[in-house]
Every structure is written in C-alpha cells, then in structure tokens.
Amino acid sequence: MTGRITRRRDVESLETAAGWPNADKNTMVTLASTLVAADADAEGCRFFSALSDAQPDAATPLALAGFFQARVADDAGAVGGALARLDRAAAADLGLPQYFRGLALTALPPDPGRAEQAIADLEFVLAVRDLFPAMLLRGAFAGLARAHAVLGHDEQAADAARRSGLAAAPAGARLTLGGFWANAEDGFRFTSPRILRPEPGIQIAQGYDFCDLAFVTTGDGVIAIDAGTTADRVKAALSDLDFPADGRVSHLILTHAHWDHVGGAGALRGPGTRVIAQAGFPAGLDRERDARPPFRYFTGAAGEFQLDLAPDQLVSEPTPLTVGGTDLVLYPTSGGETGDALLVHLPATGVLFAGDVLMPYLGQPFTDEGSPEGLLEALAFIDGLQPRLLIHGHPPLTDLLTAAAVPGLRAALTQLRGEVLDAIRRGLARPDILAAASLPDVLREHPAAVVPYLVTRDHFTARLYHQRTGYWQPDGSGMEPSTAAEHAAALDLLAGGRQERFADAAATLIARGDHALALDIIRPGLLRYPASSALAELRQTALHRLMERYQQSDPFQFLIYAEQAGAELGPVG
C-alpha cells in the first residue's frame, strides 16, 4: 500500500457541498484552506478549475482556480494562465479575489512587479479587514512580509512578519489560514484582541480572553454578558471599550457557569451590580470548582480562577427585564454544552446572546458534559424565536453559527442523530460510525449550515456514542485494557526491538498525510526509546501538521496539539 490510509472525510464532504449550485463562499474558502493545509494543491487546482468551468460567471471559484494553479505551476505559461484567472476574478469582484491573488503572487518566484501588486492587494484586504473573516488575516500579513522582502523593504517586511504572529513557527509551517493563537504565557485565544460593534449600543470584546465579553449600553448603565477567566484580562478589554462617562455596570448576566465565563467577574461587579444567572448555575459552578482544564494552554499564566460567585437572581422561567429603557427577555435552557444555560434576547432589535448553548463541540471533549438532545432543543427554540443576529460566546461560533444557519443545522443534526442511534443498535464501533457519517441532502437548501454542520458532525456523533454505550464495546475494546507501556512493548515486538522501525513507519505515514496515525506510532516508540532524537523530531512534525489541519475547525484539538508541541504563536496584527 503506497497511498494515504485514512480518509479525508472533511475534504470529501466539503467538495461535495462546494459543488452544489448554491454553495456559499464560506464553504469554498474552508475547502481551499483545508486543501492548502493538507499540501493538496494539485487537487485544489483540479477541483476549482472544474468548478469555475461549470460556473463561468462566479468570481470565487475562478479566483481559487487561479490561486491553486499558481501554486502548482511549473513553467511560465502555467503561471501566466493562473495570473490571468486571478486578474479576471479581481476585475469581477472585490474581496476574496484580491486576497487570493495577493497570496498567490507572494508564493511565486520573486518578481518586483508581482510583489508590488501583492502589496496593493493585501493592503486593500487589511484596509477593509472588518469585512473579512478574522482567520484569513494572518495570511495577509505573512504575504506582505514576503512581498516587502522581495522589494528590499526590510523594515516593512519585519513589521508584517511580526504582525503575522508566526515569528516562532517552524519554517514551512502552513498556519497562515487560521486565526487561532496559543503560547505558554497567554494560553489559547480564538482571535486577536479586537472590539466589534455589530449594533448601536452593543460592543463585543474578542481575543482578550478565552471567551468573548459582551456589553449593552442602556440609559441607566451597562449590561455585561459573561465575565471571562480573570479580572486582569477583563480589565484589558474594558480599557478598549467606549462606555458612557461613569461606565457603571448595572447588571452582569452569566450565560453559564464555565470557568472562562465567570472567573473575571470581580472586574465587572461593583457595589450596585446585579448578577443574574440560570437556576442551575450554582450546581454548575460547583462542578467547575473540581474541573480545572487539564491542559495549561487553556489559560496560560492566568493563575487560579475566582469561582466563588453568588448571583443575586436565579432565573428558572422566561423573565422580562428592562434596564434604562432597553427591554430584554432571559430564557433558561439546557443547550448542547451545559444544563445551566441562559439566553439573552433583545426583542426590539432581534439580537440574541446565546453564550455556548450551540457549542459544536458539545462541551469540553475531555469532560462528562454536553448533550446532543440539548443542542437539538436549543436549535428548535432559537429557530422558533427567529432572531435576526446571533452573538455567541466565542468568535468562530458568531462567525459560523449565524441565524441563517439554524434551520438547516437543526434538520441535518436531527438526521445524523437517527443514523448514529441506528448504528449503535447495530453494534458498530465509534470509528466505523464516524466513517459513515453523512452529509444530509437537506443541506443543499441551507448552504449557510454546511460548515457549521461539518464542524459539529464528529463531536455530536462522539458525544452521543459516549452517552449511549458502556465501557465494553461490541468489537471487544475495553474488555482487556492495557497500559500505554504494555501496548508499546507489544508494538516493539513487531518492530523487532529496533527503534528505527518506529521512525521509518512514522516518517512514511507523515509523508502520506496520515499524521494522526504517525503520532500513534511515535508515542509508543518514545515510551520504548525516550532518547530517540529521530522520533522526537517526527513527533514535532506530526504535531505541527495536526495543528495546521485544525487551525480553523477545532480549537480544542489545535490547543492540545499546540501545547504538546510547545508552540509559541502570537496574535495577528
């Protein structure tokens, strides 16, 4: 066997959905980013060239066809054809075509004219950065660094390289198409610090902490929604906000009791602040006190959390609230992550603050929480409420899980739940169920729900399987458990007691793109041969490749692999 062993189910599903007649740009860009991270430029060129031929008037497929053609071009004619495609796309639309043209130009052999055009394209992107997904901005700075270097602009090149956040990344790292960042000091962040103002009187502080902080200005003070991890991080966000003269927080509403949403309450709670939470909040906070995240990159050097908060009001039924002329309705719900969720609705504007009620990872994957049924119930409730704007507790959720995505996501996950339960009844093991997970046809009519569904699919399946099965599996897993050291010793028999056999197998798997399988070989190999520099180097390579794979889609896997690799990625901008 010479090809890849594991299926790229994400790519298969994205290619199917991107080929549907009404596919949205987010699906296409997510597919393109996934292919770049997988070093699958030739496949990208074939796919988007065919898609552009089928949709000759669409600028995004044309831009992506030119982008990938430039990446695989091996002669002047092919480069010229790629640039002609990119130029036609840029003439037809503003935005993504300039972004992908700029990146393509900086990946070609150095040329001053190309570098100047790349700088113009990428500076345009940064000038309208609020209109672009934050995950794409790292690539813009990295491209500017390369273009300025070609022109001998040393200071501009160094500044752009610094602002890309990749100064400490390994050479050749394909981390330019994601906005996650993580290091030992700051921990993990979903995006760079920024203040969003999606509506008059509403401000969202993103990237200052693990969770987002929301603020609603009323005629009688400010309503804060969630409180971050530590007071210092909340204070950093407060210093960048535009508040009324007194800046008084009249109400603090907590969407649930997770550590990253309550630990910084001391920076928001003043003498007259009324703290409101769901009736299940005290029990949820008790669980949090015993459930500090097992990975230090969650919080970095944030120190201990302050989890001694006692709300002034507990909500057990839909509750109207008026503050300074602003009307709100508080809705207690279970949701997909915790049982103590509280939704905050502004009926006059149709804004709904959802916290983590639609969390696609169904809680922290390494803890006993999360509910597939709760997620479906929350989707049904929100679908019925018909909000105009959904604001979640973390940036990717707000970007992906829009109000337009809710009906399709609800229908697709309902179908998935039935398929998974049927597979459990038939005795299938979890890996086999995951391999068979579908792309429901209902998503054809809901293009905005495609990427949210694919981000959720495996986590929904795994959580449902975990909750419906025992510690012995139908295939015999769990019946005769062995320690990691015992398993490594058994594999060493296959390797003939030679550490190079582990290294050779891992290197072959990495070359084929089977990075997770390579890690499964490297870990026992290092248990048997802890001094092996070859295995240690291969481990770093596999971890970085897995970071690249999950740089847009899965913060938990990205975070854990980043910590294991000792990664030091900075913020963008």
Side-chain angles (χ1 to χ4, degrees):
M1 184 175 187
T2 58
R4 183 185 176 104
I5 295 173
T6 52
R7 284 175 54 203
R8 294 180 302 168
R9 295 182 300 109
D10 53 349
V11 172
E12 293 171 10
S13 296
L14 285 166
E15 287 183 343
T16 297
W20 289 341
N22 62 343
D24 70 351
K25 292 180 181 179
N26 189 36
T27 299
M28 295 185 199
V29 172
T30 301
L31 170 59
S33 303
T34 303
L35 291 171
V36 169
D39 198 23
D41 294 326
E43 183 176 350
C45 185
R46 288 192 299 271
F47 179 85
F48 284 108
S49 293
L51 186 62
S52 180
D53 290 343
Q55 302 176 19
D57 297 328
T60 300
L62 179 61
L64 290 170
F67 170 75
F68 280 107
Q69 183 179 349
R71 292 174 67 84
V72 300
D74 56 5
D75 58 51
V79 169
L83 297 182
R85 279 175 158 173
L86 287 162
D87 289 344
R88 292 201 307 275
D93 194 14
L94 285 174
L96 289 174
Q98 284 72 26
Y99 176 80
F100 283 106
R101 182 171 65 179
L103 293 191
L105 289 168
T106 63
L108 292 170
D111 177 271
R114 293 173 189 160
E116 289 175 354
Q117 180 63 63
I119 290 171
D121 284 338
L122 297 175
E123 285 186 343
F124 163 75
V125 168
L126 294 176
V128 294
R129 61 190 299 167
D130 289 345
L131 303 178
F132 274 78
M135 66 185 182
L136 297 182
L137 299 180
R138 190 188 300 278
F141 284 111
L144 279 173
R146 292 192 295 270
H148 280 300
V150 170
L151 296 175
H153 302 161
D154 295 341
E155 290 185 8
Q156 294 97 318
D159 180 65
R162 176 188 60 79
R163 297 178 72 185
S164 76
L166 294 174
R174 297 186 290 267
L175 288 168
T176 56
L177 294 174
F180 300 162
W181 57 286
N183 56 64
E185 175 67 23
D186 299 302
F188 172 86
R189 309 290 173 88
F190 289 88
T191 190
S192 302
R194 61 178 184 172
I195 305 297
L196 299 185
R197 297 175 176 85
E199 297 279 317
I202 295 178
Q203 299 180 78
I204 313 296
Q206 295 184 331
Y208 294 85
D209 206 336
F210 196 88
C211 91
D212 293 352
L213 309 168
F215 301 90
V216 180
T217 299
T218 77
D220 187 21
V222 173
I223 300 170
I225 301 175
D226 284 333
T229 304
T230 68
D232 287 345
R233 294 180 177 182
V234 175
K235 289 176 182 176
L238 291 174
S239 68
D240 290 339
L241 292 164
D242 298 324
F243 275 173
D246 63 1
R248 181 175 60 89
V249 176
S250 63
H251 292 73
L252 170 59
I253 303 174
L254 302 169
T255 63
H256 60 297
H258 269 176
W259 52 268
D260 57 316
H261 292 255
V262 303
L268 297 169
R269 192 176 191 179
T273 303
R274 186 167 183 80
V275 180
I276 303 174
Q278 205 240 60
F281 180 91
L285 197 61
D286 284 343
R287 288 192 298 272
E288 285 298 288
R289 293 190 182 100
D290 298 326
R292 185 180 177 91
F295 302 98
R296 59 186 173 86
Y297 266 39
F298 268 97
T299 57
E304 292 298 318
F305 313 142
Q306 298 299 315
L307 300 180
D308 55 357
L309 186 61
D312 301 298
Q313 179 181 351
L314 296 175
V315 175
S316 59
E317 60 185 6
T319 301
L321 175 68
T322 299
V323 181
T326 299
D327 294 327
L328 304 88
V329 182
L330 309 180
Y331 293 104
T333 185
S334 56
E337 183 169 71
T338 64
D340 64 336
L342 188 63
L343 302 175
V344 183
H345 188 218
L346 276 60
T349 59
V351 175
L352 180 67
F353 296 92
D356 291 352
V357 73
L358 299 185
M359 175 65 77
Y361 318 105
L362 286 87
Q364 300 172 91
F366 41 80
T367 61
D368 184 20
E369 63 181 13
S371 168
E373 288 75 17
L375 176 57
L376 290 173
E377 290 171 7
L379 284 165
F381 179 81
I382 293 172
D383 198 9
L385 196 62
Q386 294 287 298
R388 183 179 57 83
L389 176 64
L390 274 178
I391 298 175
H392 299 271
H394 302 279
L397 307 191
T398 298
D399 292 342
L400 289 177
L401 284 167
T402 62
V406 168
L409 183 59
R410 176 190 177 192
L413 290 177
T414 298
Q415 177 178 324
L416 177 65
R417 178 179 181 274
E419 293 170 351
V420 173
L421 290 177
D422 180 65
I424 292 172
R425 284 190 291 268
R426 290 187 286 117
L428 295 185
R430 182 163 67 100
D432 297 317
I433 298 175
L434 289 168
S438 69
L439 181 70
D441 204 53
V442 68
L443 291 170
R444 285 178 176 269
E445 306 305 319
H446 299 277
V450 168
V451 175
Y453 171 77
L454 293 177
V455 169
T456 307
R457 181 174 64 181
D458 285 6
H459 294 278
F460 186 96
T461 299
R463 184 65 76 183
L464 187 57
Y465 187 87
H466 174 73
Q467 293 179 344
R468 297 300 183 100
T469 59
Y471 51 86
W472 286 0
Q473 303 302 321
D475 64 356
S477 300
M479 292 179 63
E480 298 293 343
S482 58
T483 67
E486 291 165 347
H487 181 66
L491 285 180
D492 201 15
L493 289 176
L494 284 175
R498 296 168 57 187
Q499 62 176 294
E500 62 268 23
R501 294 279 182 86
F502 285 94
D504 290 346
T508 298
L509 289 167
I510 289 172
R512 293 177 178 181
D514 288 308
H515 306 119
L517 286 180
L519 205 55
D520 286 342
I521 295 294
I522 293 166
R523 285 168 174 155
L526 283 170
L527 282 176
R528 298 296 289 176
Y529 305 101
S532 171
S533 59
L535 285 171
E537 291 174 8
L538 288 166
R539 178 180 181 270
Q540 287 299 102
T541 299
L543 290 170
H544 280 102
R545 294 292 88 83
L546 289 165
M547 287 173 60
E548 293 163 3
R549 176 178 177 181
Y550 295 110
Q551 65 184 300
Q552 289 186 0
S553 61
D554 196 315
F556 290 111
Q557 286 179 275
F558 181 92
L559 179 160
I560 292 168
Y561 291 133
E563 177 173 324
Q564 292 174 350
E568 289 288 318
L569 297 180
V572 178

